[in-house]
Amino acid sequence: MITFFLRAKRNLGFSIEKIFYDVHNNVKGSRLIEVSKNKATIITLIENGLFARHNQTAINHITGDIHYIVLFLSSKNLNILTIHDTVVLHNRSKLSVKFWLFYFLWYKIPCYFADVITVISPKTKNELLKYKITSADKIKIIPNPISDLYIYSLPSILNKEKVKLLFIGSTSNKNLFRVLQAIQSLPCVLTIIGNINDVCLQYITMNKINVLVKYNLKNEEILSEYIRTDMVVFPSTYEGFGMPIIEAQAIGRPVVTSNIEPMPWVAGDKGAILVDPYDVQSIKAGIVQCIENEKLRSTIIKNGMKNVERFKLNNIIQEYKHLYKCAGYAE
């Protein structure tokens, strides 16, 4: 039997962990277990670890931000650890105690005890090697799959007087403030899925930017937002993958995203308009280009839909099944 371990349930609207619900549903003889505690205290870490040990099976796949679970599992099993990114290291100074706490407890020690480490992009692999967390021979790249729910939907005719933009995310790396600066003078309405901070809210109010804010949406509701939009704007400054890119491509919507990895790798060859996420004028120029250049817009939509084939759910599931078969898994 295969057991998938996830964090305690939370809003999975645009959580990267939601992908393993699809994997679990397509792997026979598997079960999905959520650890009971979400807070990262010493007591809850131990409780979660003991809970996982009690529920371990021959093949255990730790799929989310609970890497330490592997420390509690038997070495007689096949223990697989999926790492999505190293953002908690990226955002901290090496001089801080928290950096080294996360380095050892979330990455270095769990990677040592894991039998296989899967990562969702070459960027994440490169970061594990850069931080000297583990060796390359232990890492396998298996990208995130696109849900079968995301299929092409005929777009509405683009109204250049009121272009519909979609922005997904609420953390600082999603780069909302620069997006607001970029669209300030453009004839558009921006739908934001996620909570926004007071600074962004004040900027919206002062500059009378046409914005709709939505949060706590279900997967089906997010899908509807993709269908309604003319363009997805995703100039993130840091990602382990970047699911909105391929979700938009699958629906048949153009994407404006960052020219830093892993976004170009995820978007594929000419599958998106790439911009400098740190340059407001570059973001604006990318959006304007997508609005004004119909030929370019059609090209990146076509290339995007072709690119999505790399991330089809069945293809990714087959990669995981091959990994599980090494430990005797048979359908």
Side-chain angles (χ1 to χ4, degrees), residues 224-291:
S224 295
E225 294 299 332
Y226 277 110
I227 293 172
R228 279 194 285 265
T229 197
D230 296 316
M231 179 194 321
V232 172
V233 182
F234 190 70
S236 177
T237 57
Y238 182 93
E239 294 292 327
F241 188 78
M243 282 298 294
I245 297 171
I246 59 172
E247 289 175 340
Q249 289 178 333
I251 296 295
R253 300 298 181 268
V255 183
V256 175
T257 190
S258 305
N259 61 5
I260 57 176
E261 292 298 340
M263 277 66 86
W265 178 80
V266 173
D269 185 27
K270 298 178 181 178
I273 294 176
L274 302 179
V275 300
D276 181 351
Y278 297 99
D279 185 343
V280 172
Q281 291 305 313
S282 178
I283 297 171
K284 180 178 180 179
I287 295 171
V288 171
Q289 190 178 26
C290 191
I291 295 172

Side-chain angles (χ1 to χ4, degrees), residues 96-289:
S96 71
V97 174
K98 282 190 175 181
F99 175 93
W100 294 106
L101 180 64
F102 278 109
Y103 179 83
F104 285 106
L105 187 57
W106 248 253
Y107 295 100
K108 185 72 173 181
I109 299 175
C111 285
Y112 176 81
F113 283 99
D115 298 301
V116 181
I117 300 161
T118 67
V119 295
I120 58 178
S121 69
K123 180 190 176 177
T124 302
K125 176 181 179 178
N126 292 336
E127 288 188 335
L128 292 182
L129 298 178
K130 179 185 74 173
Y131 286 118
K132 298 181 180 179
I133 289 169
T134 189
S135 57
D137 59 349
K138 208 171 185 178
I139 304 173
K140 181 175 178 60
I141 300 172
I142 302 181
N144 290 328
I146 181 74
S147 170
D148 287 338
L149 294 174
Y150 286 77
I151 58 175
Y152 177 77
S153 176
L154 186 68
S156 57
I157 297 174
L158 181 68
N159 179 4
K160 292 185 179 181
E161 300 302 316
K162 193 176 182 181
V163 182
K164 293 172 288 187
L165 309 181
L166 179 62
F167 180 94
I168 297 181
S170 57
T171 52
S172 60
N173 59 295
K174 302 303 180 183
N175 212 13
L176 175 58
F177 189 71
R178 289 193 182 95
V179 170
L180 293 173
Q181 291 177 298
I183 68 168
Q184 178 183 336
S185 61
L186 299 181
C188 62
V189 54
L190 177 69
T191 297
I192 302 169
I193 301 180
N195 294 307
I196 60 176
N197 60 37
D198 291 339
V199 173
C200 289
L201 185 59
Q202 184 178 22
Y203 190 84
I204 291 168
T205 303
M206 288 179 60
N207 293 281
K208 300 180 181 179
I209 303 173
N210 197 348
V211 166
L212 298 174
V213 181
K214 303 181 180 183
Y215 49 90
N216 293 334
L217 299 187
K218 297 178 181 178
N219 290 336
E220 295 78 10
E221 293 173 318
I222 294 175
L223 176 60
S224 295
E225 294 299 332
Y226 277 110
I227 293 172
R228 279 194 285 265
T229 197
D230 296 316
M231 179 194 321
V232 172
V233 182
F234 190 70
S236 177
T237 57
Y238 182 93
E239 294 292 327
F241 188 78
M243 282 298 294
I245 297 171
I246 59 172
E247 289 175 340
Q249 289 178 333
I251 296 295
R253 300 298 181 268
V255 183
V256 175
T257 190
S258 305
N259 61 5
I260 57 176
E261 292 298 340
M263 277 66 86
W265 178 80
V266 173
D269 185 27
K270 298 178 181 178
I273 294 176
L274 302 179
V275 300
D276 181 351
Y278 297 99
D279 185 343
V280 172
Q281 291 305 313
S282 178
I283 297 171
K284 180 178 180 179
I287 295 171
V288 171
Q289 190 178 26

Side-chain angles (χ1 to χ4, degrees), residues 19 21-28 142-150 246 308-325 329 331:
I19 66 171
Y21 283 84
D22 289 328
V23 176
H24 155 65
N25 289 333
N26 287 273
V27 175
K28 293 181 180 179
I142 302 181
N144 290 328
I146 181 74
S147 170
D148 287 338
L149 294 174
Y150 286 77
I246 59 172
V308 168
E309 294 298 319
R310 293 196 292 150
F311 307 103
K312 288 292 187 180
L313 180 60
N314 186 61
N315 295 337
I316 305 303
I317 287 171
Q318 292 307 315
E319 291 195 53
Y320 277 118
K321 284 183 177 179
H322 179 75
L323 190 62
Y324 303 147
K325 284 177 182 178
Y329 166 75
E331 292 188 77

